[in-house]
Amino acid sequence: MRRNIATDLILSILFSVVTNTVCITPPGKPKITSCRSPEKETFTCWWEPGYDGGLPTTYALYYRLETSETVYECSDYHTAGPNSCYFNKNDTSIWVNYNITVVATNRRGTNYSDPVDVDVVYIVQPHTPENVTVLVKADEQGPYLRVSWEKPRNADTSSGWITLVYQLRVKLKNQDEWEEHDVGQQKTFNVFSPHSGGTYMVQVRCKPDHGLWSEWSTTSYIQVPDYITRERSMWIIIAIFTVLVFIILTWILNLKRSSVKHCLLPPVPGPKIIGIDRNLLKNGKSEDVFNALVIPGFPPSDYEDLLVEYLEVYDSENQELMLDGKDLQEGCLKLKSPSDNDSGRGSCDSHTLLMEKVAKEEPTLESSQQEVEAETPSTASLQPEYAQPSAWPTVLAPDQPYQLDSPWKSLPDVFISPPVSPQLKCTTGPKHKKGLYEPSINGLEGKGDSMVSSPRTMEYVEVQRVNQQNVLLLRPLAEQNLGSHTTSVEMPEEDYSKVKGVTSNNVLLLQQEVSTQYISDQEETCPMMQQTQLGKPVVHHPPAVVPSGMQLTSNGYVDTATY
Amino acid sequence: MAKVCLLLPALLVLSSMGHVEPSENQRLFRHAADRMKSLHLMAVNMISDFENSLDFDDRVEIGSNFLLSNCFSDSIQAPTNREEIQKSTLLKVLRISYQLLVSWEYPSQAFSGTLTNSLKPNAITDRLTDLKMGLRIIIMEHLTGQSTVEEYLSAPAVFDESYLNDGAPGKIYSLMACFRRDIHRVETFLRVAHCRVSPKECLP
């Protein structure tokens, strides 16, 4: 029994000794967590105690100022709560560094915290703003939220000791992100265009000019009533108005579609040909269309009168004219329209050049004509004499066919018979332009010298009509003016003479000498022509006198243009 | 009529002597307080950049020496809390502010090599000079003729030029800390003086 009690006693003593040896230690090192000043007049420091060592531990805060070596102990450990030290206004100096240390002490020992240097100016963290209120206000722009608050207590902003700036944050109740706004030194803020029917949460905080932000104020809630925004209502009105305008325009366009179509797409005027029926064209009956083009009564029966062709007939004086009615149709002369002075025949065929040639060849002509006259009584055949062809273009070479490629080709070959004279001669002298025919009458031989020496004249004829053999039927203009019957150009039946002149009684003065110029192909026809003419009486025997005032051309023909 | 005629030249003389209208006086106070706030921010950024540029050993040295260092401007007796400022006159507050600015005008040139962020080398010195001139005008407006300006603004703190001979980082850091503190003091003094002159601009 005694052994048990003693054993228990010894074991308990040992246990307590061991326990005290393990758990009882000096206190752990405390740690100063923060020091804050709410208004830059007082401040508070908090610390975190360490392990107490199993023993009751006391904590003390000691501080000293920068400018002195004196160590002061905190005078108020209760105002700010446990493990804190409150420095009142008397103990707080601004713009001075505090060196603060916390000491933990227990029965086993003491432990010091790390020293902390504190300048009150840079540890100012004011209280949260007070009386944060949110109201829904409305103006002409629409409803908005007006947030207002008060400065935190104990903050002396009126004297300028402390300057506070504020910050606000707001969000809808169902949102996660806050919307922050820097407000400055003012104490009101407006939130415009809130969501209709939404619930907003608002918080405010503040900060001194060189300090720390305060905590956020308690959340303020506000319910926004349902409304239609001004902008949305405006867009609704604009949309309705636009739709109405569109409907009205569509209706108007539908009513006036024809006139609009005519205005925008005017019909293109189609070609209008008198006599053409568009319906016939559409029907596709070309025969009817072409028949419609036919104008009744056209050409007129007397269309022959419309065919007016003024031809200049040239013939060399040196070439004797052989008249043969049949052969005459084979083509002899080419007649030239007076309006076609140089139509495709080259410069050699121009009237001007012709006149020059005639002027040059005149002496030759005169000599040749004189030879012919000398032989007149006995000469009954034409001996076409060709002058030297040097002055002639190649187209008029003797070995070339008569018919040449020229604009005159369209005209049928026409034979112009000189006035009928048994002594008519067809002489060929210096070649003039092809087709130049200068008939002369033998009766004028006596005065042939003078006649020959005088410039040859031209006879103008009028194309009366074209027969079926493509022969031009000509009529001298002089006969027409005289009112004489027209003579056909059918060489075999009519006599032609060189017109010397016209008397005052409108009588043609014809020359009996015949001087024509033919190329080699005409040699056959010339004599034939001559023969034809010899068999027929002369229509007019030209007197030997040329009336005064008359102008004879170089070839002896009367220039009717002088009338 | 004769009195009016005499007042006009008196006003002209006063204006030529630098007399400032009350509205202009308020504007000068507000302007000085704003410029001091900007200068204080510059000092805070300067010392922060300097701390970041130091290596670990230099930071330890700074921590150990800072507790024992004193600022050369401590010789200027200045209010240390709100009650003391409230009890000081306006002229006293302005004078202390002027003395602090003048005291730092020369030593601030030592900071030209440490300024960063595109600031000019003598940006702090130039701002101090401008503020000194503006504060002088304000003080002249409030002097009641008891003494001249030069006498009133005498005895600034003297800076020991040999303090920075060794170029130790700890000394430079200590000098920067002192500068930051004094600039903040001047800013507070001028703001209190402004609110005292224009209470409407410092509504609660």
Side-chain angles (χ1 to χ4, degrees), chain A residues 310-328:
Chain A
Y310 297 92
L311 304 175
E312 294 181 358
V313 180
Y314 297 89
D315 193 7
S316 173
E317 293 179 352
N318 297 323
Q319 185 174 3
E320 295 182 355
L321 179 62
M322 297 295 291
L323 299 177
D324 187 347
K326 294 180 180 179
D327 295 333
L328 287 174

Side-chain angles (χ1 to χ4, degrees), chain A residues 95-278:
Chain A
W95 300 300
V96 176
N97 279 319
Y98 282 78
N99 186 268
I100 301 172
T101 304
V102 174
V103 179
T105 305
N106 62 8
R107 195 171 61 185
R108 299 290 299 188
T110 304
N111 207 342
Y112 299 89
S113 66
D114 293 332
V116 173
D117 294 317
V118 175
D119 188 345
V120 179
V121 173
Y122 300 107
I123 63 169
V124 179
Q125 185 180 19
H127 295 296
T128 59
E130 298 179 352
N131 297 331
V132 179
T133 58
V134 185
L135 298 175
V136 178
K137 290 187 177 283
D139 59 358
E140 58 186 9
Q141 302 293 333
Y144 63 94
L145 303 178
R146 184 176 182 85
V147 185
S148 60
W149 58 88
E150 300 294 331
K151 68 174 180 68
R153 63 180 183 271
N154 302 330
D156 184 12
T157 57
S158 60
S159 64
W161 176 246
I162 189 170
T163 303
L164 296 176
V165 292
Y166 300 93
Q167 190 180 58
L168 178 146
R169 68 179 185 179
V170 60
K171 76 178 182 73
L172 283 169
K173 192 175 182 180
N174 54 0
Q175 286 181 345
D176 296 331
E177 298 294 330
W178 288 89
E179 182 179 336
E180 295 184 356
H181 301 276
D182 291 327
V183 183
Q185 297 184 18
Q186 62 187 18
K187 298 182 184 62
T188 59
F189 186 77
N190 296 328
V191 179
F192 295 100
S193 301
H195 287 255
S196 175
T199 300
Y200 282 87
M201 303 165 59
V202 180
Q203 292 180 334
V204 184
R205 67 177 182 179
C206 59
K207 180 179 81 71
D209 48 0
H210 302 292
L212 306 170
W213 283 105
S214 67
E215 298 295 332
W216 288 104
S217 63
T218 56
T219 303
S220 298
Y221 295 87
I222 186 69
Q223 177 72 32
V224 180
D226 295 330
Y227 72 100
I228 298 176
T229 61
R230 184 185 180 86
E231 183 179 357
R232 183 182 298 177
S233 62
M234 181 185 70
W235 283 113
I236 291 171
I237 292 171
I238 290 173
I240 293 171
F241 180 74
T242 304
V243 169
L244 287 174
V245 169
F246 178 75
I247 291 171
I248 292 170
L249 285 177
T250 305
W251 178 63
I252 292 172
L253 286 174
N254 188 27
L255 290 178
K256 304 289 183 182
R257 60 178 179 273
S258 60
S259 61
V260 171
K261 183 180 178 182
H262 181 78
C263 180
L264 295 178
L265 302 174
V268 179
K272 202 169 186 179
I273 303 173
I274 298 174
I276 292 291
D277 188 1
R278 294 180 64 184

Side-chain angles (χ1 to χ4, degrees), chain A residues 436-508:
Chain A
L436 178 61
Y437 173 68
E438 298 178 349
S440 61
I441 300 173
N442 294 329
L444 295 175
E445 289 182 4
K447 300 179 181 177
D449 295 341
S450 61
M451 297 301 291
V452 171
S453 62
S454 63
R456 293 176 291 180
T457 59
M458 292 186 292
E459 178 183 6
Y460 291 90
V461 299
E462 177 185 351
V463 178
Q464 189 176 8
R465 62 184 177 87
V466 181
N467 64 0
Q468 294 179 355
Q469 288 81 24
N470 292 328
V471 177
L472 283 173
L473 304 179
L474 302 178
R475 179 180 66 185
L477 287 178
E479 293 182 358
Q480 182 181 7
N481 293 332
L482 295 174
S484 60
H485 65 278
T486 58
T487 57
S488 66
V489 192
E490 295 178 353
M491 300 298 292
E493 298 179 359
E494 298 188 1
D495 298 331
Y496 292 88
S497 301
K498 180 179 176 182
V499 177
K500 184 178 179 182
V502 180
T503 62
S504 59
N505 297 327
N506 294 326
V507 176
L508 281 174

Side-chain angles (χ1 to χ4, degrees), chain B residues 42-177:
Chain B
M42 291 175 60
V44 170
N45 294 332
M46 177 183 64
I47 197 169
S48 175
D49 295 340
F50 184 77
E51 287 177 348
N52 296 331
S53 66
L54 295 174
D55 54 10
F56 179 77
D57 295 334
D58 292 335
R59 291 183 186 180
V60 172
E61 179 185 355
I62 288 171
S64 62
N65 293 333
F66 180 73
L67 295 175
L68 301 177
S69 62
N70 296 320
C71 297
F72 74 96
S73 59
D74 292 339
S75 60
I76 299 174
Q77 298 296 321
T80 58
N81 55 32
R82 175 174 168 270
E83 284 73 21
E84 293 181 7
I85 293 174
Q86 295 293 339
K87 294 177 181 178
S88 301
T89 62
L90 180 62
L91 278 175
K92 181 180 177 181
V93 173
L94 293 175
R95 181 170 60 88
I96 294 170
S97 301
Y98 183 83
Q99 289 176 341
L100 288 172
L101 292 177
V102 172
S103 299
W104 281 104
E105 195 171 2
Y106 174 72
S108 63
Q109 297 178 6
F111 305 143
S112 61
T114 61
L115 293 177
T116 59
N117 299 330
S118 72
L119 288 174
K120 292 187 296 184
N122 294 325
I124 291 177
T125 305
D126 296 339
R127 289 173 182 262
L128 287 170
T129 304
D130 294 339
L131 283 164
K132 181 190 70 174
M133 294 173 61
L135 202 57
R136 185 184 179 89
I137 295 173
I138 296 172
I139 292 171
M140 289 172 61
E141 287 295 319
H142 290 85
L143 282 177
T144 57
Q146 298 173 357
S147 58
T148 61
V149 173
E150 300 303 328
E151 293 175 353
Y152 190 76
L153 299 178
S154 61
V158 179
F159 176 71
D160 186 7
E161 297 181 3
S162 61
Y163 180 75
L164 296 176
N165 287 340
D166 54 357
K171 291 184 178 180
I172 296 174
Y173 181 83
S174 177
L175 192 64
M176 289 182 177

Side-chain angles (χ1 to χ4, degrees), chain A residues 58-69:
Chain A
T58 59
Y59 297 90
L61 187 145
Y62 298 94
Y63 66 93
R64 73 178 179 85
L65 296 176
E66 177 186 357
T67 56
S68 73
E69 296 293 331

